[in-house]
């Protein structure tokens, strides 16, 4: 134990006041003694006054004592405790999961304190809360970023405050996979008895389809056991498909095919028959017909097959031009040309047929909202085309002088799932063509085995430009034995993605949960007005801020589930434009209630971070690992906990009490 001072006021004034008070007390005692000549009473009164002065001085000086405690390391151990609403669920033994977590927390804290760890505890769910005391009192910590919920947010926040030597997580699972932090994570999960069977965990649909087109919903399931699980697909309240999935080897999957006739955004609910999980998906039915100008300057089988696939769809009008030697060409179709096309396709373009004038025409059409697909399927590719006039600006790639042919099927590029292009069928190529490096703002969807973009796109004005480079489509199509033409579907996906244009009003997600933050992005020359109206018929005006030049971001979180229409009144060069889009708000779904996948994500997180996982409690290898991590991290140090000996409130209380005693003593002694 040590003593120290932390003055409430500067020391010099405190000393002066104390000296004056002592002098006044001595002088007063002398006057009393001189007048009454009663030494005992005078000494008692003087003693009381001296005590008053001493207490007052010690209070101002802030005298305090220190209790020292040795701790390991100069970084804390962070304990993150899950308090999401899945804690209210009951597990097989009939015990609330939250009670199991609380018991685990108490045991782990005791073990960490025995290891002399500097421990900091937090609750996380819809935010981050600091825990204090043996009976935890929680205090919300302000978020440093927009998203303010979940385990990933909690890990980021505690690392930003002071990176811990390790984190201990007490949770029953987390729905999304979480990237591993720079410090080891040790996970404890309450013992639960997961149900058998499978449940849906993800669903994929094409972003755009044409009216009457048959399109797939690809549903991925997770789970265990041998119990078959039925599921249904609903649009509004109408069941439009159903199926059964049985656990087995590998990841259970199911595909159902739907058809939508009415243009607009269609929302679909996928629900397990046992009620264990509900997912949502959406697709947009585009009003046809779509006008496509298809120009081919080198008609190999791949380019010919792609043209046939484009023209096979009844909702696509195809105007076709085949360039021939000597400046001749074969033209078939309605004859609207590139000026009247919604989507333009350049198949195997050659520099002797493409000039700067045609490139300028493409530039104008794409800037006005048309889509452009540049398709290379032959080797060697004529990459000089990508440098002719405006095509140098339109191309998603900076072309190399000579393209490279690479054997092997193109693979999905990192982040391809967020590229916006989700084909209903993925064709198999015999080889990939590496044509150059991506420009800034280019999104790669597929890449060659060597990592070069083979399918990529870039926004340009109000339109999009896509580049596809690979051969073997014709052979893949001829080898298919399944029902229907895969290339027809892939061609329609390409056309519809480009036909969608660069949208001027978009949302961060079309399917969100109640109270989930939703962002609406509006392209406008002036500040737009953005309003959301839902099933409660109460329009909500969103706050708007300019996040980039000409792009405005509106923020909103819906409190009532159902279909919402977002209306944006934006400004363009042509004046005021009113646009609408739809968002579906669902009941909150907590993937942690379905324990298997949530715990699997925690196990993966612990492994990637170099930590550990245990579901049986803290008296085992995992806690020993935490202790060893602490000891190996940094040398031991001593932390001091300071306690005031004479806090100001106590000093004032004693001060007033002694004054009263002194006055009463003087009265009783006849000294007053």
């Amino acid at each position: 134990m040590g003593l120290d001072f932390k003055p409430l006021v500067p020391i010099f004034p405190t000393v002066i006041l104390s000296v004056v008070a002592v002098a006044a007390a001595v002088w007063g005692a002398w006057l009393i003694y001189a007048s009454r000549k009663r030494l005992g009473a005078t000494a008692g009164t003087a003693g009381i006054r001296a005590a008053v002065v001493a207490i007052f001085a010690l209070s101002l000086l802030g005298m305090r004592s220190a209790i020292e405690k040795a701790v390991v390391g100069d970084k804390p151990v962070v304990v993150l405790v899950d308090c999401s609403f899945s804690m209210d669920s009951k597990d097989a033994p009939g015990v609330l999961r939250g009670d199991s977590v609380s018991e685990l927390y108490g045991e782990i804290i005791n073990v960490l304190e025995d290891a002399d760890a500097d421990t900091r505890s937090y609750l996380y769910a819809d935010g981050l809360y600091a825990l204090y005391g043996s009976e935890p009192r929680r205090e919300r910590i302000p978020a440093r970023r927009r998203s303010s919920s979940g385990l990933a947010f909690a890990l980021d926040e505690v690392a930003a405050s002071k990176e811990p030597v390790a984190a201990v997580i007490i949770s029953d699972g987390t729905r999304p996979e979480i990237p591993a932090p720079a410090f080891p994570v040790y996970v404890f999960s309450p013992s639960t008895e997961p149900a058998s069977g499978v449940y849906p965990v993800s669903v994929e649909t094409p972003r755009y389809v044409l009216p009457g087109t048959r399109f797939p919903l690809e549903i991925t399931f997770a789970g265990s056991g041998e119990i078959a699980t039925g599921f249904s697909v609903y649009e509004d309240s109408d069941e439009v498909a159903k199926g059964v999935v049985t656990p087995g080897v590998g990841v259970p999957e199911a595909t159902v095919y739907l058809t939508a006739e009415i243009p607009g955004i269609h929302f679909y609910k996928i629900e397990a028959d046992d009620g264990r999980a509900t997912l949502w998906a959406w697709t947009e039915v585009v009003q046809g017909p779509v006008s496509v100008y298809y120009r081919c300057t080198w008609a190999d089988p791949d380019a010919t097959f792609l043209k046939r696939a484009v023209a096979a769809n009844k909702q696509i009008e195809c105007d076709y031009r085949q360039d021939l030697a000597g400046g001749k060409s074969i033209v078939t179709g309605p004859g609207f040309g590139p000026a009247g096309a919604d989507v333009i396709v350049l198949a195997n373009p050659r520099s002797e047929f493409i000039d700067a004038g045609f490139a300028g025409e493409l530039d104008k059409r794409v800037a006005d909202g048309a889509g452009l697909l540049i398709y290379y399927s032959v080797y060697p590719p004529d990459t000089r085309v990508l440098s002719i006039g405006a095509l140098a600006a339109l191309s998603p790639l900076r072309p190399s002088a000579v393209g490279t042919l690479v054997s092997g099927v193109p693979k999905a590029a990192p982040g391809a799932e967020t590229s916006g292009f989700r084909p209903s069928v993925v064709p198999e190529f015999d080889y990939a063509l590496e044509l150059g490096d991506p420009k800034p703002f280019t999104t790669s969807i597929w890449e060659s085995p060597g990592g070069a973009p083979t399918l990529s796109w870039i926004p340009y004005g109000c339109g999009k430009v896509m580049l596809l480079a690979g051969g073997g489509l014709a052979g893949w199509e001829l080898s298919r034995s399944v029902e229907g033409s895969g290339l027809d579907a892939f061609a329609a996906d390409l056309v519809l993605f480009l036909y969608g244009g660069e949208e001027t009003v978009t949302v961060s997600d079309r399917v969100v949960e109640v109270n989930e933050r939703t962002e609406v992005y509006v392209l406008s020359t002036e500040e737009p007005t953005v309003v959301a109206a839902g099933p409660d018929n109460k329009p909500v005006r969103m706050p708007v801020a300019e996040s980039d030049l000409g792009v405005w971001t509106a923020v909103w979180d819906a409190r009532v589930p159902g279909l919402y229409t977002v209306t944006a009144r934006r400004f363009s060069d042509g004046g005021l434009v009113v646009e609408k889009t739809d968002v579906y708000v669902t009941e909150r779904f907590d993937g942690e209630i379905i324990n298997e996948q949530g715990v699997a994500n925690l196990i993966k997180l612990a492994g990637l971070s170099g930590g550990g996982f245990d579901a049986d409690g803290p008296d085992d290898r995992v806690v020993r690992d935490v202790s060893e991590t602490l000891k190996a991290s940094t040398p031991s140090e001593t932390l001091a906990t300071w306690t005031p000996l004479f806090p100001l409130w106590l000093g004032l209380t004693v001060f007033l009490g002694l004054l009263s005693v002194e006055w009463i003593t003087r009265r009783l002694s006849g000294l007053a």
Side-chain angles (χ1 to χ4, degrees), residues 484-505:
S485 170
L487 193 54
D488 288 359
F490 178 65
D493 292 336
L494 290 172
V495 167
L496 291 178
F497 176 74
L498 294 168
Y499 176 67
E502 184 64 9
E503 299 174 64
T504 52
V505 179

Side-chain angles (χ1 to χ4, degrees), residues 69 119 375 622:
K69 178 182 179 181
T119 304
Y375 172 44
V622 174

Side-chain angles (χ1 to χ4, degrees), residues 126 214 229 279 462 481 569 583 597 612 625 655:
D126 58 344
R214 189 167 176 257
T229 300
L279 296 181
C462 292
S481 58
R569 297 171 60 86
V583 174
Q597 186 62 40
D625 287 349
F655 178 82

Side-chain angles (χ1 to χ4, degrees), residues 580-620:
K580 297 183 179 182
T581 191
D582 291 334
V583 174
Y584 202 96
V585 178
T586 71
E587 294 283 2
R588 186 174 178 186
F589 166 70
D590 194 333
E592 300 162 16
I593 294 176
I594 301 168
N595 209 43
E596 303 97 315
Q597 186 62 40
V599 172
N601 290 338
L602 287 179
I603 295 173
K604 183 175 181 180
L605 170 65
L608 291 176
S609 69
F613 173 86
D614 203 306
D616 296 329
D619 298 325
D620 53 19

Side-chain angles (χ1 to χ4, degrees), residues 225-239:
E226 299 179 354
I227 301 175
T229 300
F231 67 92
S232 300
V233 180
Y234 298 89
E235 182 177 10
D236 295 329
S237 58
D238 299 328
E239 185 180 71

Side-chain angles (χ1 to χ4, degrees), residues 280-522:
W280 290 82
W282 66 274
T283 193
E284 183 173 354
V285 178
V286 176
Q287 176 68 60
V290 181
S291 301
V292 176
Y293 177 72
Y294 194 106
R295 182 172 180 178
C296 183
T297 61
W298 191 336
D300 76 321
D302 287 344
T304 301
F305 266 71
L306 185 62
K307 180 263 176 182
R308 291 176 181 173
V310 170
N313 196 301
K314 296 180 180 179
Q315 296 289 338
I316 296 178
E317 294 180 344
C318 188
D319 197 4
Y320 179 68
R321 171 174 171 167
Q322 170 66 61
D323 291 311
L324 304 174
K328 298 180 180 180
S329 62
I330 298 174
V331 178
T332 59
F336 47 73
D342 300 312
V343 177
I344 301 166
V345 181
L346 293 184
N348 296 318
R350 295 172 64 94
S351 54
E352 60 261 36
F353 296 107
I354 306 296
D355 57 22
F358 181 70
E361 189 175 356
L362 294 178
D363 178 87
K364 184 178 185 307
R365 286 295 302 127
V366 176
D368 289 342
L372 172 63
L373 171 65
I374 304 172
Y375 172 44
Y376 284 98
S377 61
V378 297
Y379 184 80
D382 188 352
T383 57
R384 293 173 296 176
V385 171
L386 302 180
S387 300
I388 295 175
L391 277 166
L394 287 165
S395 171
L397 306 180
R398 294 191 180 94
S400 57
V402 179
T404 304
L405 185 147
V406 180
S407 299
V409 178
K411 59 183 180 180
E417 64 276 5
T418 61
S419 66
F421 179 65
R422 184 179 294 162
S424 54
V425 175
V426 178
E428 296 178 4
F429 291 82
D430 292 335
Y431 57 86
L433 296 172
E434 298 179 343
L435 305 183
D437 298 323
K439 293 179 180 177
F441 306 109
T442 292
T443 299
S444 294
I445 303 170
W446 299 337
E447 61 182 24
S448 70
T454 58
L455 180 62
S456 57
W457 75 277
I458 191 170
Y460 189 86
C462 292
K464 301 174 187 169
V465 182
M466 177 177 279
L467 193 146
L468 173 63
L473 285 178
W476 170 74
E477 176 67 11
L478 291 172
S479 67
R480 288 174 59 82
S481 58
V482 298
E483 178 186 357
S485 170
L487 193 54
D488 288 359
F490 178 65
D493 292 336
L494 290 172
V495 167
L496 291 178
F497 176 74
L498 294 168
Y499 176 67
E502 184 64 9
E503 299 174 64
T504 52
V505 179
T506 58
V507 292
S508 53
D509 200 344
R510 288 202 183 278
V511 177
V512 298
E513 295 177 353
V514 170
N515 294 329
E516 181 180 349
R517 178 190 175 102
T518 305
E519 295 183 349
V520 182
Y521 310 107
V522 182

